[in-house]
């Protein structure tokens, strides 16, 4: 017996899918996007929650701009952050970031020439060494610094002379850094690349939950309509036709307005997008069930006295999983577009949570200027992710379609 004869249907489908290069490339793009969505706070340069570390002096920087920064300890004690929270959510920046063009240090202070952007006046500011390396506190006269050397200071923040050289060396190493903004900054001086990475999380999360909602409703409605037929089919099809006559984005906006601020904006988007997409799934499932219900093995299940629930969910739905996966991929792409559209008009996720649609709307006016990249970057991300899911859906459709395929 040949190996091909004993191959499982799943293995045959995977072999056909692997031959579809655009689909495999799209699958790789989606896997990379999923990885970025999970570990975005670790990968991104801005590791704060929602990548919302604002440096107002650096608004609308051009891509690949390098800026020297002085990191000054904020005048508060930060709450400790757990490892999992740091990895998946991010942590507050304990430093105030001050863009500088030049600096000088003496035994008591550091004097900097601030950088406020192109064609803006330069200011001179002075910070005490204690102010740079410590949050102002008189409660701990003995503090361990980065190099683990004990440094002592009194209530006037005066260091012992023997520690001055250590402090200055550590400031050079840890508190004066150069940051590169590969895609520039937005109108609030936030790193665009970091916010794009966090935006992947929003798009994929909304897509995943919305597709689960639409599949749950669509599979149930389509299955009962195709299986029972008669008046059940008529009622379901009437409801499908009514909802289908309303543009999806308009329906999602209506549901979103109806929900309002009664629940979290994230959850509201899940519900609005999911409830607006189930009709396509229901139509596909209904058509598939109408064809499968007359097959001999379904007739045999009825003859054995199996109940309707078991017949539908154990014998019919597993045999139409291919079309369901195809419509799920298409719905995922639609969910991303709908979420971006809702955020674009201002009724999506609330700021400062980064959403590609919100970023596109915030910088729409720059499309006709030399800062067009501010709007093009999120638009390009939306296009790539939607295209990836559409191409994967096409690949799945071809892989599950055995007509004309060699056995």
């Amino acid at each position: 017996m040949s190996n091909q004869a004993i191959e499982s249907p799943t293995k045959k489908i995977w072999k056909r899918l692997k031959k579809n290069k655009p689909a495999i490339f799209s699958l790789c793009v989606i896997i990379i996007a999923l990885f970025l969505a999970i570990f975005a706070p670790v990968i991104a340069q801005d590791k704060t929650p929602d990548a919302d570390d604002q440096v107002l002096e650096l608004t609308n920087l051009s891509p690949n701009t390098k800026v020297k920064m002085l990191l000054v300890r904020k005048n508060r004690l930060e709450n400790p952050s757990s490892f999992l929270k740091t990895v998946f959510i991010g942590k507050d920046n304990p430093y105030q970031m001050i863009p500088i063009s030049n600096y000088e240090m003496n035994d008591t202070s550091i004097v900097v020439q601030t950088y406020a952007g192109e064609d803006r006046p330069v200011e001179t500011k002075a910070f005490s060494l204690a102010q740079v390396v410590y949050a102002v506190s008189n409660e701990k006269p003995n503090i361990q610094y980065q190099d683990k050397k004990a440094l002592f200071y009194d209530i006037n923040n005066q260091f012992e002379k023997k520690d001055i050289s250590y402090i200055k060396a550590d400031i050079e190493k840890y508190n004066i850094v150069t940051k590169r903004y590969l895609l520039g900054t937005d109108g609030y001086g936030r790193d665009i690349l970091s916010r794009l990475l966090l935006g992947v999380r929003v798009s994929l999360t909304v897509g995943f939950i919305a597709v689960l909602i639409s599949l749950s409703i669509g599979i149930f409605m389509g299955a009962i309509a195709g299986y029972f037929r008669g008046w059940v089919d008529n009622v379901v099809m009437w409801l499908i036709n009514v909802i289908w006559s309303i543009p999806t984005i308009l329906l999602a906006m209506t549901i979103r307005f109806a929900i309002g601020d009664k629940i979290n904006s994230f959850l509201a988007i899940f519900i609005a997008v999911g409830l607006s997409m189930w009709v396509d799934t229901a139509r596909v499932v209904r058509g598939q069930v109408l064809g499968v219900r007359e097959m001999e093995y379904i007739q045999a299940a009825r003859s054995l006295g199996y109940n309707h629930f078991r017949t539908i969910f154990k014998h019919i739905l597993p045999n139409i999983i291919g079309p369901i996966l195809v419509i799920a991929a298409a719905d995922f792409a639609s969910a991303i577009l709908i979420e971006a559209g809702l955020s674009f008009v201002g009724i999506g996720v609330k700021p400062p949570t980064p959403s590609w649609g919100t970023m596109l709307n915030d910088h729409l006016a720059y499309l006709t200027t030399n800062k067009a990249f501010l709007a093009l970057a999120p638009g390009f991300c939306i296009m790539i992710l939607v295209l990836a899911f559409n191409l994967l859906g096409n690949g799945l459709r071809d892989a599950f379609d055995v007509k004309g395929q060699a056995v």
Side-chain angles (χ1 to χ4, degrees):
M1 185 179 292
S2 65
N3 291 334
Q4 188 177 8
I6 61 174
E7 284 182 344
S8 66
T10 303
K11 190 172 182 180
K12 290 180 180 179
I13 292 169
W14 174 242
K15 285 179 66 176
R16 288 195 290 267
L17 182 63
K18 285 196 297 184
K19 294 178 181 178
N20 191 321
K21 302 302 181 185
I24 292 299
F25 178 77
S26 299
L27 181 61
C28 293
V29 170
I30 293 170
I31 292 173
I32 293 172
L34 181 61
F35 176 82
L36 294 177
I38 296 173
F39 298 105
V42 177
I43 300 170
Q45 176 173 253
D46 185 349
K47 303 184 186 303
T48 60
D50 296 324
D52 192 40
D53 205 0
Q54 301 181 13
V55 185
L56 298 180
E57 296 90 345
L58 303 180
T59 58
N60 299 337
L61 288 182
S62 300
N64 203 33
T65 300
K66 292 182 180 180
V67 179
K68 186 177 292 185
M69 297 277 195
L70 172 64
L71 306 183
V72 178
R73 281 279 183 178
K74 292 180 179 177
N75 190 16
R76 65 175 183 266
L77 297 176
E78 302 292 337
N79 294 324
S81 181
S82 67
F83 174 77
L84 290 179
K85 182 179 179 181
T86 301
V87 171
F88 297 112
I89 299 178
K91 63 178 182 178
D92 293 333
N93 189 352
Y95 296 101
Q96 176 188 359
M97 298 195 298
I98 301 176
I100 62 175
S101 56
N102 201 1
Y103 69 93
E104 292 181 359
M105 268 195 293
N106 53 43
D107 288 348
T108 59
S109 63
I110 178 171
V111 180
V112 298
Q113 304 269 321
T114 62
Y115 172 83
E118 299 176 359
D119 302 324
R120 294 179 184 175
V122 174
E123 297 182 8
T124 301
K125 292 184 178 180
F127 301 90
S128 69
L129 299 185
Q131 187 179 358
V132 173
V133 298
Y134 297 129
V136 176
S137 172
N138 297 325
E139 298 176 2
K140 288 187 176 182
N142 188 349
I143 293 182
Q144 294 291 115
Y145 193 52
Q146 286 100 325
D147 64 351
K148 308 303 181 184
K149 299 180 184 299
L151 305 177
F152 299 91
Y153 64 102
D154 60 23
I155 60 174
N156 295 317
N157 293 322
Q158 297 296 319
F159 294 98
E160 292 186 0
K161 290 185 177 181
K162 68 184 182 66
D163 294 319
I164 294 297
S165 59
Y166 295 133
I167 296 168
K168 293 170 71 174
D170 280 348
I171 288 177
E172 291 273 4
K173 184 176 181 180
Y174 297 107
N175 295 83
I176 298 176
V177 299
T178 299
K179 291 187 177 292
R180 172 182 287 181
Y181 296 93
L182 291 176
L183 294 182
T185 60
D186 64 9
Y188 295 95
R190 298 174 295 194
D191 183 24
I192 289 180
L193 180 57
S194 298
R195 291 184 64 78
L196 287 177
L197 292 176
L198 268 295
V200 179
R201 176 179 293 183
V202 173
S203 294
L204 290 183
T205 304
V206 170
F208 179 73
I209 302 297
V211 166
L212 282 183
I213 294 174
S214 67
L215 286 181
S216 300
I217 299 174
I219 289 174
F220 174 77
M221 299 294 283
I224 63 172
Y227 183 80
F228 293 107
R229 298 189 296 187
W231 68 269
V232 176
D233 188 23
N234 292 334
V235 171
V236 172
M237 285 307 298
W238 175 84
L239 182 61
I240 288 175
N241 289 330
V242 170
I243 296 178
W244 209 21
S245 65
I246 306 173
T248 304
I249 186 67
L250 182 59
L251 180 61
M253 290 174 63
T254 303
I255 297 172
R256 179 66 182 89
F257 276 124
I259 296 172
D261 295 327
K262 300 174 184 176
I263 59 177
N264 181 274
S265 64
F266 232 61
L267 182 58
I269 291 297
F270 297 156
I271 296 173
V273 177
L275 292 180
S276 64
M277 296 194 310
W278 67 268
V279 290
D280 288 333
T281 304
R283 286 183 65 254
V284 172
V285 171
R286 172 187 174 273
Q288 293 294 319
V289 172
L290 282 174
V292 172
R293 74 184 300 277
E294 304 301 332
M295 302 293 288
E296 292 181 357
Y297 64 91
I298 301 300
Q299 299 296 332
R302 291 202 192 105
S303 300
L304 291 171
Y306 294 152
N307 60 44
H308 297 314
F309 181 86
R310 173 169 177 170
T311 302
I312 292 174
F313 288 94
K314 189 170 182 180
H315 299 285
I316 293 180
L317 291 183
N319 287 283
I320 61 172
I321 192 66
I324 291 176
L325 289 178
V326 173
I327 196 67
D331 281 352
F332 216 116
S334 299
I336 293 171
L337 280 176
I338 294 171
E339 183 279 323
L342 292 177
S343 296
F344 180 81
V345 298
I347 57 175
V349 294
K350 297 294 181 66
T353 302
S355 167
W356 291 342
T358 303
M359 295 174 68
L360 183 58
N361 182 42
D362 289 343
H363 303 105
L364 191 62
Y366 291 98
L367 277 175
T368 56
T369 69
N370 60 352
K371 303 287 186 181
F373 63 90
L374 294 170
L376 292 178
F380 184 74
C381 290
I382 295 171
M383 181 192 72
I384 289 295
L385 202 53
V386 169
L387 180 62
F389 276 104
N390 282 329
L391 290 178
L392 179 61
N394 292 341
L396 289 172
R397 179 199 62 201
D398 295 339
F400 278 100
D401 184 10
V402 297
K403 296 178 181 179
Q405 299 282 357
V407 180

